[in-house]
Amino acid sequence: MFKCVCAFALLLAASGTAMAAPAEGPTTLLTPRDLFSLQVASDPQISPDGSRIAYVRRSGDIMTDRMRPSIWLIDTRTGKEMPVAAGPGAHSQPRWSPDGSRLAYVSTAEGEAPQLFVRWMDSGESVRITGLPNSPSGIAWSPDGRRIAYSMFVPDEGLELGKPVEKPEGAKWAEPLEIHTAVTYRTDEQGYLKPGYDHIFVVSAEGGAPRQLTFGAVNDGGSLSWSPDGNTIYFSGNRTLEWEREPVDSEVFALNVDSGVVTTLTDRDGPDASAVVSPDGSRIAYVGFDDQKLGYQNSVLYVMDRNGSNPRPLTADLDRSVGSPVWADDGRSIYVDYDDEGVTKVARVSLDGSIRAVAEGLSGSSLDRPYTGGSFSVADNGALAVTSGTATRPANISLIKGGDARQLTRLNANLLDHKRLGEVIEIPVTSFDNRPIDAWLTLPPSHAEGQRHPLILEIHGGPFAAYGPHFSTDNQLYAASGYAVLSVNPRGSTSYGAEFANLIHHAYPGRDYDDLMAAVDAAITQGYADPNRLFVTGGSGGGVLTAWIIGKTNRFKAAATQKPVIDWASFALTADAPFFFSQYWFGEYPWEDPQAYWNRSPLSLVGNVNTPTLVVVGSEDYRTPVSEAEQYYTALQLVGVPTALVKVPGASHGGIAARPSQSGAKASAILAWFDKYKNEPPAQ
């Protein structure tokens, strides 16, 4: 039979008769493969004279399955772009010299540890000026442009116990014992930590041997700010003997560059950070708060004299958390960023405390979910470079000058201009206590007025974080498959003030559940959602609430809990910030009030669950450790609830969607799970 068909096909081909329908063109919907073609802008650095912007562009690389960072330069007058560092490797942290003639940056271009490079803008030549064993961070030029300060990890010997047997030459033995003595011995960002500390260094801007400025069994670093005379570097950290057990406390310090003497400038219970010195050197701006051990606390902008005297708050009445302070060139005001009702803004704060918003609509560099975020820098003439985006476009670079905004890049035009993306609309929601709740609905690209769709409630993590009208690959992939996607900022979300955020203080999960259900009800009432085809998912804090919700109601056809916390007691002792979570989210340790931990644990409700539930986690998640997801998967199996466990190999908590293939595969797995139960009767 096969031979006959083939022969018949050959005869048709010879006669010129068409046998098959024309090949279909590329789909106009977003697909997982498109994630490799996305680009996103971050860290815009405008030159002192405002003529150029250097920024980091992250681009998908299908051969390495990574978002590769490169550095690009924009002429702010013409909008023309050119690469600065875009070869093999990773390139980041562009920083202008004070006169704008050179650009420092960090690069792995030579295949070694990340190194510090300087590019001379006139000649276009770049020179490697360090040969470091570890990556430099927080790079900062001295005012005269002759030196560059940075912080770097310095290894320590650590504790040794016993004497290992001497290994014969050429023998292949197991790895030696690992001995940990730190309170936080692993982090989600770095994995298991090696003994050592971050310290501050300075190196000539033309290269040479770096000089270490700080020492001791403490971590010094963060943002670095030089005094105008070049004699002092201001930084923040916790240099007390109990620094490991004080997760929120930090002070501002002045470091004498010549002598290495460190002077403490602030002294209170709470964080003081992001210190920047005024152009004339007379004042220091910084952010912080008086620690009340609440789940959420607003970071306030302060200013003090350069010797630490006369500290005073400037944004205490704003009721928003501010960050990234930058002095205006005239020294009479300070720029900060903050989130306001799901939108990131930049404000100019005068020394008398008056506040004026100068930019809004900033977007961050995350792609998978619509979190708030963004970054900016300021030229001497007050022009701002910002990362700007929309609900249907990832972050680009925009210039804001004289109140006018001009988008300079269109990174994804070639891809997304030819895709049908889901429209994102805001829907009104009122909760049980008459509080307004912000919610956004991503509609399928094929949506027609009056049409109802299966609905995915997609819950943000944190829980002290916020969604907004920002681009999201997860939401667009779900929408491309015919689902409406609901993004909600329930109580506990940031950008609505401290009172709203702390409605879940020592009460999470709790009434945030009611806010989420009110949003689902609103989507149904307003005619967008099919009440018989409801689904729920979320990651981290959203994974907690997903598991909590299906323990409270059977209205959802299926669920996917991603990187959840299931048992708060086990989480508090295995997560990578043990002192913080116990002190700030519960007020006591698990053994001091075990019932409080259990009452808020989704595991306590697993006997009520009937909803088919997918459990998703990164295999190297050290924030909400893998054991949390595995506990829940096993519990669901034991009570007979349909379930499956999806592990993302090599992925951390924050990096579960970092690699395009895994981000697309994770979204596809969740969609397949929901499709499996879309048309089945609801759980009883």
Side-chain angles (χ1 to χ4, degrees), residues 476-543:
Q476 290 293 342
L477 288 171
Y478 298 154
S481 293
Y483 291 83
V485 188
L486 184 60
S487 305
V488 186
N489 282 341
R491 64 194 63 212
S493 300
T494 56
S495 77
Y496 300 90
E499 186 268 343
F500 185 81
N502 281 313
L503 289 172
I504 65 168
H505 176 61
H506 291 184
Y508 164 76
R511 300 310 295 266
D512 39 2
Y513 165 87
D514 298 286
D515 297 340
L516 295 167
M517 294 305 101
V520 172
D521 292 339
I524 294 171
T525 300
Q526 293 168 39
Y528 296 107
D530 181 344
N532 297 313
R533 292 190 293 174
L534 303 177
F535 303 86
V536 59
T537 188
S540 192

Side-chain angles (χ1 to χ4, degrees), residues 443-501:
L443 297 170
S446 60
H447 173 73
E449 187 174 353
Q451 185 179 11
R452 291 184 181 270
H453 308 279
L455 178 76
I456 298 175
L457 170 62
E458 205 285 322
I459 309 169
H460 74 64
F464 301 107
Y467 277 164
H470 308 292
F471 183 78
S472 163
T473 55
D474 276 7
N475 289 4
Q476 290 293 342
L477 288 171
Y478 298 154
S481 293
Y483 291 83
V485 188
L486 184 60
S487 305
V488 186
N489 282 341
R491 64 194 63 212
S493 300
T494 56
S495 77
Y496 300 90
E499 186 268 343
F500 185 81

Side-chain angles (χ1 to χ4, degrees), residues 22 55 61 160 194 204 221 278 289 303 310 379 430 468 631 639 646 654 681:
Y55 74 97
D61 185 339
E160 293 184 2
K194 296 179 180 179
S204 167
S278 62
F289 54 81
V303 67
N310 301 317
T430 302
Q631 286 183 74
V639 297
V646 174

Side-chain angles (χ1 to χ4, degrees), residues 245-263:
R245 292 170 173 80
E246 298 171 343
V248 171
D249 198 23
S250 64
E251 310 298 346
V252 174
F253 299 95
L255 167 65
N256 186 291
V257 176
D258 290 331
S259 67
V261 172
V262 176
T263 303

